[in-house]
Amino acid sequence: MIAPYGSWPSPLSAAEVSRAPARIDGACFVGEEIWWGESVPDQGGRVTVRSSTGAEILPEPWNARSRVHEYGGGAWTADAEGTLFFVNATDQRVHCMPRDGEPRPLTAEGAAFGGLSLQQGRLFAVREDLRAEPHLRAIVEIPRDGSAADDERALRVHAQGPGFFAHPALSPDGERVAFVEWPVGAMPWQRAHLLVAGPERIVDAGARTALQPHWASDDELLHLDDTSGRWNLRRLHLSGAETVSVEDVAPADADTGGGLWVLGNRWYRMLENGRIVAVRTNGADEIVLIDPATGQAHPLAVPVTGDASVDDAAGTRVLISGSGADVDKGLWLVDSASGEVTAVRGGAPVDADWIPLARPVTFDGLHGPVHAFDYPPTHPDAEAGEGELPPYIVMVHGGPTSHVSGAASTAYAYWTSRGIGVLDVNYGGSTGYGREYRERLDGRWGIADVDDVIAAARGLADAGLADPDRIAIRGGSAGGWTVLCALVRGGAFAAGISRYGVADLRMLAAETHDFEARYLDGLVGPLPEAEDVYLKRSPLSHPDRIDVPVLLEQGEDDRVVPPSQAEAIRDALTARGVQHEYVLYPGEGHGFRRAETIISSLETELAFLARTFGFEPRG
């Protein structure tokens, strides 16, 4: 059939997108079973824990979600007997729940916990206490007998301070705990120390931006660091508390590691035979098996190309979660010895008639190459009239220290199946391409990212792949900032969709949470010295320059980018009579999790673009 772009009939409704496979939130071996966490949009985004037997382990209304460092992560773990340990979202206390039993608290009210891990039967966590001044965080060990439920002094504190902590790792002799710490004023991808806490003192073992320590033996500590410009595996040799030597393990021009936004990320696991299963990222993800003795690595045939996490290991088997270029999000059981790969949850091949395969593309930008993934309009039966070029949405990821990987996406197919292309841009500042690419944004947030998304949009149009007069830009959080900055710049985009986007840098600096309190120092400059830069770059300082339609979407309970940011832009656009819409979603925070919100947001965005670009969507 011949139909204008944007008007193609599609079987993919917004409701179907809301029911798409959930991202796996951790997984582990529990005896003969496999357990994993996943969100349930129909239950307000509650995170439950399920078993490979088909049973739901964590029933309603319990919700395994941590708020440590605001973004949480590592909110549950389990032992081999089937006892579940989890952080309950409402009170942030750690609870334990025996198989077929009832949850009971292990920690007292007041502090928040995350990054749970069981090691040699001992339960470790990161604790964040916002009651103290200054706020305190710590690596703690939680008694499993419940003695800390009424008396938090029963917690064993291995390290504590006003900075930030992650990834506690217990030595085989049970005497030392290695962990990652970064100070107030730094982000973990800028500076993060590898520390070892012993019976008498804490020793700094070095590292530039350390991640995920793991003891290979009592005198050998694996970890990740980007001293070469790429996060790679390194092996630290210790004698007592002193570092003897450090060496790379199978170095590669790819990243094993990334932005430490959440506490549950795992980029590698050591197997019982001493080999290592690891993620390597160079734009997209690859899973490799490393032999530390020879330094050789070879790929494993796992269909994961994005959001990869090596969640657990047992014998020669590993659990790997993530998303793929041609499969749904899922969880896979991989036997590294036989090469057998089994989908445990999700992971089904997508329908290529409707779900486009992303095409990696690179554009020339003012600051160097700009990497992106192109999802072209895709339909088995529809095509546009001769000479018509498709409208496109340029997607801008959040972070900004994050990245996209070109994975199959039902959410993107919602657009492409209707004849609207999607260009997902890894602008300068993104992870996955090495430190130099990541640091391109330093001091230039609101400039380099905007230059890059404009270069990508114009490159697509110059190649004859998109209608230059019908290119919109859409992003959330830090991506929403880039959207608004690009609209202020003008000339490249015909419409903008900002989802909980930053509009005023000074307001963000004043209102944001601890984890990102000094993030802007590196992205823009320190206050008060750089206040004039904050004012000059903030979209709220230049609403008179926005002259295209804007859709603003916001969570009412967002504590990372509060509604005041979107409402300030709304008020400025109202005063100038610029076409805009503002939608506030009750019960939503930073990111939309509820099914009804996901549905409403997509349908609102489609209607907004249809009005702006002059097409009539079917249905």
Side-chain angles (χ1 to χ4, degrees):
M1 64 175 292
I2 304 296
Y5 287 117
S7 300
W8 294 353
S10 172
L12 296 174
S13 66
E16 185 164 345
V17 173
S18 76
R19 294 190 295 268
R23 186 174 186 270
I24 300 299
D25 192 353
C28 66
F29 294 101
V30 179
E32 297 300 313
E33 301 173 37
I34 295 170
W35 289 10
W36 66 88
E38 65 176 62
S39 61
V40 187
D42 288 340
Q43 296 174 13
R46 179 180 78 91
V47 176
T48 186
V49 178
R50 301 189 188 277
S51 167
S52 53
T53 65
E56 181 175 51
I57 305 302
L58 186 64
E60 290 188 85
W62 301 99
N63 181 1
R65 190 183 298 279
S66 167
R67 290 201 301 267
V68 171
H69 303 170
E70 195 61 38
Y71 297 103
W76 72 276
T77 188
D79 65 17
E81 288 70 43
T83 298
L84 176 69
F85 302 87
F86 68 97
V87 179
N88 186 42
T90 55
D91 59 12
Q92 291 298 289
R93 300 171 77 183
V94 177
H95 291 68
C96 76
M97 187 177 75
R99 190 184 291 270
D100 301 322
E102 293 295 321
R104 62 181 177 87
L106 295 183
T107 58
E109 295 181 352
F113 295 83
L116 302 185
S117 64
L118 275 171
Q119 302 175 55
Q120 301 176 42
R122 295 159 65 177
L123 180 60
F124 291 85
V126 176
R127 181 185 67 181
E128 183 172 53
D129 191 349
L130 303 182
R131 298 168 298 177
E133 287 296 341
H135 297 166
L136 291 176
R137 280 156 284 267
I139 298 289
V140 300
E141 191 173 333
I142 302 171
R144 295 176 60 173
D145 62 6
S147 57
D150 297 314
D151 184 2
E152 59 187 358
R153 293 174 297 178
L155 296 171
R156 181 178 178 184
V157 178
H158 291 274
Q160 180 171 270
F164 302 89
F165 298 87
H167 297 160
L170 181 65
S171 61
D173 63 10
E175 294 295 318
R176 291 166 293 167
V177 177
F179 57 93
V180 172
E181 182 270 344
W182 62 100
V184 174
M187 301 304 290
W189 45 85
Q190 296 172 322
R191 183 168 74 255
H193 305 286
L194 176 62
L195 302 176
V196 179
E200 298 179 356
R201 61 190 178 116
I202 296 176
V203 176
D204 189 338
R208 184 182 187 277
T209 54
L211 292 168
Q212 197 185 335
H214 174 84
W215 295 89
S217 67
D218 282 324
D219 57 5
E220 188 176 296
L221 183 62
L222 295 172
H223 64 286
L224 304 172
D225 200 3
D226 77 338
T227 53
S228 67
R230 289 285 204 172
W231 272 298
N232 276 186
L233 267 168
R234 309 199 86 200
R235 179 166 42 208
L236 191 69
H237 296 277
L238 299 168
S239 177
E242 302 303 322
T243 299
V244 175
S245 63
V246 62
E247 61 190 6
D248 292 320
V249 179
D253 188 20
D255 287 310
T256 298
L260 186 56
W261 288 99
V262 297
L263 294 174
N265 286 0
R266 291 294 182 271
W267 291 276
Y268 72 95
R269 294 281 182 176
M270 176 170 272
L271 308 175
E272 287 184 357
N273 59 16
R275 294 188 173 186
I276 297 168
V277 175
V279 181
R280 282 183 173 171
T281 306
N282 191 31
D285 294 344
E286 178 184 43
I287 310 300
V288 299
L289 179 64
I290 297 172
D291 184 347
T294 65
Q296 297 297 307
H298 70 265
L300 293 173
V302 185
V304 174
T305 58
D307 304 314
S309 178
V310 189
D311 291 318
D312 200 9
T316 60
R317 302 179 304 155
V318 291
L319 295 173
I320 297 174
S321 61
S323 52
D326 55 6
V327 296
D328 284 331
K329 297 174 186 175
L331 173 68
W332 289 265
L333 171 63
V334 181
D335 190 318
S336 64
S338 67
E340 183 180 3
V341 178
T342 305
V344 177
R345 173 65 167 166
V350 299
D351 186 345
D353 285 342
W354 295 102
I355 311 291
L357 187 68
R359 180 176 65 96
V361 291
T362 302
F363 304 97
D364 292 330
L366 292 175
H367 311 282
V370 180
H371 302 292
F373 293 93
D374 177 25
Y375 297 79
T378 301
H379 197 291
D381 302 313
E383 58 181 308
E386 185 176 354
E388 183 183 359
L389 292 173
Y392 253 79
I393 304 173
V394 171
M395 298 288 185
V396 190
H397 66 70
T401 313
S402 182
H403 86 288
V404 292
S405 60
S409 170
T410 305
Y412 287 0
Y414 177 81
W415 302 105
T416 58
S417 63
R418 289 169 166 78
I420 303 166
V422 170
L423 184 68
D424 216 356
V425 181
N426 277 321
Y427 50 88
S430 301
T431 57
Y433 300 94
R435 190 200 315 148
E436 183 178 351
Y437 195 83
R438 189 172 78 243
E439 292 182 347
R440 182 190 291 179
L441 204 57
D442 287 2
R444 296 189 289 185
W445 194 36
I447 297 175
D449 50 327
V450 174
D451 290 338
D452 285 357
V453 296
I454 289 175
R458 288 177 174 165
L460 198 71
D462 290 346
L465 299 175
D467 183 343
D469 296 324
R470 294 193 296 171
I471 299 179
I473 183 169
R474 174 187 185 265
S477 189
W481 154 268
T482 304
V483 167
L484 295 172
C485 288
L487 298 183
V488 165
R489 178 86 64 87
F493 300 102
I497 299 173
S498 172
R499 297 156 59 93
Y500 37 90
V502 177
D504 184 336
L505 288 176
R506 291 189 306 169
M507 193 182 300
L508 177 65
E511 295 181 344
T512 197
H513 53 101
D514 283 5
F515 179 72
E516 296 182 76
R518 303 295 295 275
Y519 194 10
L520 296 181
D521 286 14
L523 292 172
V524 183
L527 287 173
E529 296 88 340
E531 185 169 8
D532 59 332
V533 179
Y534 280 56
L535 283 168
K536 183 178 179 180
R537 290 201 199 158
S538 293
L540 191 58
S541 298
H542 312 286
D544 55 302
R545 299 180 188 175
I546 299 177
D547 57 5
V548 298
V550 182
L551 172 60
L552 304 165
E553 299 176 282
Q554 179 68 44
E556 188 175 43
D557 300 334
D558 193 336
R559 296 190 299 182
V560 178
V561 181
S564 56
Q565 295 263 321
E567 289 165 0
I569 285 288
R570 174 204 62 189
D571 294 345
L573 296 177
T574 299
R576 291 190 55 247
V578 175
Q579 181 184 335
H580 68 279
E581 298 175 42
Y582 174 60
V583 184
L584 183 67
Y585 290 106
E588 291 287 7
H590 197 64
F592 300 154
R593 296 186 174 94
R594 299 170 182 263
E596 59 268 29
T597 304
I598 295 168
I599 293 168
S600 172
S601 175
L602 279 173
E603 292 179 345
T604 299
E605 290 172 8
L606 179 60
F608 169 76
L609 291 182
R611 286 192 296 273
T612 302
F613 290 159
F615 61 80
E616 184 67 33
R618 299 288 181 95

